Amino acid sequence: MTYIFQPDRHLLVEQIKKNSHYIKGKVLDVGAGHYSRYEKFFKAEKYIKMDINHSEHVDIVGSVDNIPMEDNSVDSIVCTQVFEHIRYIDKSASELFRVLKKGGYVILTVPQLNELHEEPHDYFRYTKYGLKSVFENVGFKIVEMDQRGSFFSSTAQMIIRFLSDYFDLYNRKILGKVLGKFIYLFGMLSIRLDNIVKHSANKKHAIGWCCVLKK
């Protein structure tokens, strides 16, 4: 599969790295998928990968709204780009709170702006106010609320995703490689513009959020 740059993915990795110091000890990666995308950024004594689908790289098969673990059983939780795909938001937030030890942290990322994906299991998008409401209601303290992208990178993300899907760039090696160079420059320019333009109008737009929660 051809690599196509996305501002969302680039900024998401930067957010995880920036907040990685919160994650330590016995770590649960909720919705880990088939590989440990961010494990290398954490100082974990034990890293447990949970996903709804079974694979050789998954340690626990389970759903976020019914995590098959004991109360207060993990020191930290990582949950990236999962909550848009779950139906029972409050129950899932309560489950994260239940299995986390007191004083433990969660790094959670969600989209505010995304194309439809993993259909039909694509249910929600979040603002920072929605996140605050959901997780404070179950007992979490919001430690960090880190915005991912502003107007320029949000716009670029949508354009890049449209072009990638329209021209099937991930599966067309030569075309993907040629256009990929221009897409990379376009995407990086959009991120640079977001860093330059400090006006509040720019910050009203976001690709998504990285939220650090404490029990």
Side-chain angles (χ1 to χ4, degrees):
M1 181 176 286
T2 304
Y3 169 75
I4 303 296
F5 179 84
Q6 295 184 52
D8 187 26
R9 292 293 178 187
H10 176 82
L11 294 170
L12 181 60
V13 171
E14 293 302 309
Q15 286 184 317
I16 298 295
K17 289 166 63 176
K18 174 184 173 183
N19 295 292
S20 62
H21 61 280
Y22 288 107
I23 303 300
K24 59 190 69 174
K26 184 179 179 182
V27 179
L28 175 65
D29 189 334
V30 175
H34 303 304
Y35 56 95
S36 302
R37 181 177 292 164
Y38 306 114
E39 182 179 359
K40 61 186 177 183
F41 299 130
F42 309 126
K43 295 180 180 178
E45 296 173 8
K46 185 175 183 181
Y47 200 84
I48 304 167
K49 297 180 288 293
M50 187 189 91
D51 198 81
I52 197 167
N53 298 311
H54 174 77
S55 83
E56 61 179 328
H57 302 292
V58 171
D59 302 305
I60 299 174
V61 176
S63 174
V64 192
D65 59 9
N66 188 20
I67 300 174
M69 297 185 74
E70 299 293 327
D71 295 358
N72 309 302
S73 57
V74 296
D75 300 295
S76 310
I77 297 174
V78 178
C79 185
T80 62
Q81 308 300 92
V82 172
F83 263 65
E84 70 267 34
H85 299 297
I86 57 176
R87 294 183 180 181
Y88 308 111
I89 299 171
D90 293 337
K91 179 65 165 63
S92 298
S94 295
E95 280 292 275
L96 296 185
F97 189 86
R98 179 184 67 80
V99 302
L100 186 66
K101 294 179 182 177
K102 184 174 177 59
Y105 291 90
V106 179
I107 288 182
L108 180 132
T109 73
V110 294
Q112 179 173 306
L113 178 70
N114 250 172
E115 77 289 346
L116 286 171
H117 59 289
E118 296 187 25
E119 298 174 68
H121 305 294
D122 189 5
Y123 304 114
F124 300 103
R125 300 293 182 266
Y126 297 86
T127 66
K128 63 180 179 180
Y129 305 109
L131 287 173
K132 187 174 186 294
S133 175
V134 168
F135 288 100
E136 285 187 344
N137 282 346
V138 301
F140 279 112
K141 176 184 177 182
I142 308 294
V143 178
E144 305 279 356
M145 185 68 76
D146 192 11
Q147 182 170 339
R148 185 165 64 259
S150 299
F151 171 75
F152 295 100
S153 56
S154 295
T155 303
Q157 175 68 22
M158 291 296 98
I159 292 172
I160 290 169
R161 281 302 313 181
F162 173 79
L163 292 175
S164 299
D165 293 338
Y166 189 85
F167 293 107
D168 194 22
L169 296 182
Y170 289 101
N171 296 311
R172 297 175 69 180
K173 186 175 181 180
I174 296 176
L175 184 60
K177 188 174 182 179
V178 172
L179 290 183
K181 295 178 180 179
F182 294 99
I183 285 173
Y184 173 79
L185 293 174
F186 175 52
M188 290 302 295
L189 175 62
S190 73
I191 293 171
R192 177 62 177 159
L193 286 172
D194 275 341
N195 291 330
I196 292 173
V197 179
K198 303 299 184 182
H199 197 280
S200 60
N202 190 34
K203 290 295 183 181
K204 287 186 176 182
H205 303 265
I207 301 174
W209 301 90
C210 178
C211 187
V212 179
L213 314 167
K214 183 179 181 180
K215 179 172 178 178

